[in-house]
Amino acid sequence: MQQEFPFIWFIVVFAAYTALLFAVSCITSRKAGSSSFFSGDRKAPWPVVAYGMIGASISGVSFISVPGNVWVQNFFYMPLVLGFVVGYIIIANVLLPLYYRMGLTSIYSYLGQRFGEKSHKTGTTVFMVSRILGAAVRIFVVIVVLFTFIPSGFVESAGELATFTLIATVFMVLLYLYTYRGGVKTIIWTDVLQTTFMLAAIASTICIICKDMHWSFKDMLSCVGAAVNVNDGAVGYGRPFTSWFDWDWSHATNAVKQFISGIFVTVAMTGLDQAMMQKNLSCKNLKAAQKNMYSTSIIIVVVNLFFVLLGALLCVYSKELGGFEALGITKTDELFPAIASRHIGVGVGIPFLIGLISASYPSAGAALTSLTTSFCVDYLGFGSGSAPENEKQDRIRHAIQAVMAAMLVIIILVLFVVSNDAVVNLVYKLASYTYGPLLGLFFYGILTKRSVRDSAVPFIAVAAPVLCLIINVSLKKTVGFDLGFSLLIVNAALSFAGMHIFSSKA
């Protein structure tokens, strides 16, 4: 049942959603200055931030990769999500009080006040490397899918790399323009659109497939629950104890490792991430920001449950269409896009495309805004809103924003040439190595009162990930044990230990 998605619909949907985002940007950026760009004037309503955080936390990677991962990993993603809940609670009760008490615009200013200038710059550099790589991977998966909607004749005549470069460049130019003035103030409200359209896309896709299969919602749950994983053919999706939790300790997807890793991943990738915390710090006070975190922790579980349910449904539906081989699907990240763009047509294609675009623009914009904020505030020392704004600072900020966008395009093109991994796994692998030092530095400062030799911190931030890589490779070669996402914990522990070695009583 192959129905190519009409290219005209691709243009219409992409243009319409882009126009909507620019309209929101225009409205929210009126009278916007540096304070609005960096902190949203600290007037954002917490329910709006909480609702938008769902879409920002999920992003285009989850929209594509989490459903596809069900193909090879059942529902083993869910223990990681349950760990997220604990992580959000830790952020609300440990990190947010610290940030609000110190009145931070850039959260890495804490490291400077606690340990010294080199620690401050190290934290900012680690974040920027982490965020650039993570954002590039997230944007990459979206552009790869948009690439599949381009007519094959055009791709053949222009060449794959040239076509992909054109799409990536256009996407980043639009991204730069819509975050040009409003910054985080714009991102907060476009996050609301992102969450709404993404959830609507999931719901409508499930409904359309159920209609095509002549299933009621109850029938769908029954059929999916009774189905077995098409990859191993052994485990029914309806058995939570076996299809949701991997109890083999040697596996990277082991439930215990996933749960614990989920806690640390959330603390690192949300609590120590300028892009995510920038939105929380835009709330008017600590209590409002904490309400945002608690609400997000509950909703994120429900939303991800629907993502894995959609993944199982797509696996079952793909069998009705002839199986993965007949559909030309070779990678997990191709499952949802292939069915949406080539095998159902406009019915699922439009909701999928809207969901994909809505899941990508604001999260990518938030990354671009936070990178610009960190560089301006942490390296150049301006833009906090406490000092008078001037035209020179505005010009510098816009130039830095453009440079960050160009860097993202370059990394995305490199990924297009070398990528061969499920993107959701790649994101967390990168995070395990890059966010580990941040986790160790922050929590050494929070949990101890000792001072640290400031000049040693940059070396600790480099040595810990390198040691972590050596340990994981050695374990896999000698005993077949994969640390998986718990690499982040080991990395943080090594960073924490390194801080202690170069510490002294305050």
Side-chain angles (χ1 to χ4, degrees):
M1 185 190 341
Q2 182 154 332
Q3 304 177 38
E4 290 285 344
F5 188 83
F7 185 62
I8 186 63
W9 278 108
F10 170 81
I11 296 296
V12 168
V13 172
F14 189 83
Y17 194 84
T18 301
L20 178 60
L21 284 180
F22 272 82
V24 173
S25 176
C26 183
I27 294 170
T28 56
S29 63
R30 287 175 182 169
K31 299 180 180 179
S34 292
S35 179
S36 298
F37 187 93
F38 295 131
S39 65
D41 297 321
R42 299 200 187 279
K43 294 179 180 178
W46 76 262
V48 173
V49 178
Y51 182 69
M53 280 276 289
I54 301 303
S57 300
I58 291 173
S59 80
V61 170
S62 297
F63 190 76
I64 299 297
S65 288
V66 172
N69 245 17
V70 173
W71 172 13
V72 293
Q73 293 185 356
N74 296 305
F75 286 9
F76 296 160
Y77 185 70
M78 287 309 296
L80 191 75
V81 175
L82 296 176
F84 294 167
V85 176
V86 181
Y88 283 122
I89 294 172
I90 292 173
I91 293 169
N93 290 281
V94 177
L95 294 178
L96 284 178
L98 175 68
Y99 298 155
Y100 270 88
R101 185 173 67 250
M102 298 181 70
L104 303 180
T105 296
S106 170
I107 63 175
Y108 310 112
S109 302
Y110 164 76
L111 295 175
Q113 296 181 39
R114 178 66 174 83
F115 299 120
E117 187 62 21
K118 283 188 170 60
S119 298
H120 181 186
K121 293 293 191 291
T122 299
T124 303
T125 303
V126 170
F127 160 72
M128 293 185 72
V129 171
S130 304
R131 196 59 176 167
I132 286 174
L133 292 175
V137 172
R138 289 176 170 89
I139 299 169
F140 166 74
V141 71
V142 172
I143 296 175
V144 165
V145 176
L146 294 177
F147 178 77
T148 65
F149 284 86
I150 304 300
S152 56
F154 179 86
V155 176
E156 289 173 3
S157 60
E160 281 194 358
L161 183 59
T163 305
F164 187 86
T165 302
L166 176 63
I167 298 171
T169 303
V170 169
F171 186 89
M172 289 307 302
V173 167
L174 292 173
L175 195 68
Y176 171 80
L177 291 174
Y178 110 85
T179 58
Y180 184 76
R181 286 186 58 81
V184 71
K185 189 175 180 180
T186 294
I187 296 300
I188 288 168
W189 288 100
T190 52
D191 278 353
V192 171
L193 289 179
Q194 172 181 0
T195 302
T196 301
F197 281 103
M198 187 169 60
L199 295 180
I202 297 170
S204 59
T205 300
I206 291 174
C207 289
I208 291 169
I209 292 178
C210 286
K211 183 179 179 181
D212 191 54
M213 297 294 290
H214 305 291
W215 286 341
S216 65
F217 188 73
K218 183 178 179 181
D219 293 335
M220 184 268 292
L221 290 177
S222 177
C223 290
V224 168
V228 296
N229 182 282
V230 293
N231 188 55
D232 58 34
V235 180
Y237 292 121
R239 297 179 176 177
F241 191 77
T242 50
S243 67
W244 293 33
F245 301 98
D246 181 358
W247 299 111
D248 190 326
W249 186 250
S250 66
H251 289 174
T253 54
N254 173 265
V256 177
K257 287 195 285 186
Q258 288 275 84
F259 177 76
I260 296 173
S261 298
I263 299 172
F264 284 87
V265 162
T266 302
V267 173
M269 295 185 70
T270 300
L272 302 181
D273 186 291
Q274 177 66 25
M276 301 301 284
M277 287 297 98
Q278 200 166 356
K279 298 168 189 176
N280 283 273
L281 295 176
S282 69
C283 294
K284 63 180 180 180
N285 55 42
L286 172 60
K287 188 174 182 180
Q290 288 175 321
K291 288 178 181 177
N292 165 40
M293 280 288 97
Y294 295 140
S295 302
T296 302
S297 69
I298 297 170
I299 302 171
I300 201 76
V301 175
V302 178
V303 171
N304 275 286
L305 184 57
F306 272 95
F307 268 108
V308 295
L309 174 63
L310 173 62
L313 178 61
L314 289 170
C315 287
V316 172
Y317 188 63
S318 66
K319 291 180 69 175
E320 297 295 324
L321 297 175
F324 293 145
E325 188 174 341
L327 298 178
I329 299 171
T330 59
K331 298 180 181 179
T332 60
D333 290 336
E334 295 173 354
L335 177 60
F336 195 4
I339 290 177
S341 65
R342 298 198 299 270
H343 299 284
I344 299 182
V346 175
V348 168
I350 289 179
F352 169 80
L353 189 55
I354 292 174
L356 176 67
I357 298 170
S358 65
S360 57
Y361 260 134
S363 56
L368 187 58
T369 300
S370 63
L371 287 166
T372 305
T373 298
S374 285
F375 194 93
C376 289
V377 175
D378 295 313
Y379 282 110
L380 303 183
F382 67 81
S384 65
S386 58
E389 298 171 19
N390 57 64
E391 291 184 5
K392 182 179 180 181
Q393 286 188 356
D394 260 356
R395 288 196 300 271
I396 292 172
R397 170 164 62 83
H398 294 322
I400 291 168
Q401 204 172 350
V403 170
M404 295 298 175
M407 289 177 65
L408 285 169
V409 171
I410 292 170
I411 297 171
I412 288 165
L413 294 179
V414 172
L415 285 172
F416 180 70
V417 175
V418 304
S419 176
N420 61 356
D421 198 3
V423 178
V424 71
N425 290 331
L426 183 57
V427 168
Y428 288 126
K429 283 179 183 177
L430 288 173
S432 297
Y433 288 105
T434 58
Y435 278 92
L438 271 182
L439 204 57
L441 267 60
F442 266 87
F443 276 87
Y444 194 83
I446 293 169
L447 298 177
T448 76
K449 294 183 179 181
R450 298 173 69 88
S451 60
V452 174
R453 191 186 305 169
D454 190 37
S455 59
V457 173
F459 298 99
I460 294 170
V462 173
V466 172
L467 285 173
C468 202
L469 175 64
I470 293 171
I471 290 170
N472 195 45
V473 170
S474 300
L475 285 174
K476 284 196 287 188
K477 283 187 175 181
T478 56
V479 296
F481 182 86
D482 190 346
L483 287 171
F485 298 152
S486 57
L487 275 166
L488 177 64
I489 303 170
V490 176
N491 199 347
L494 290 171
S495 301
F496 192 98
M499 296 286 283
H500 192 70
I501 290 171
F502 292 96
S503 70
S504 60
K505 289 184 178 181

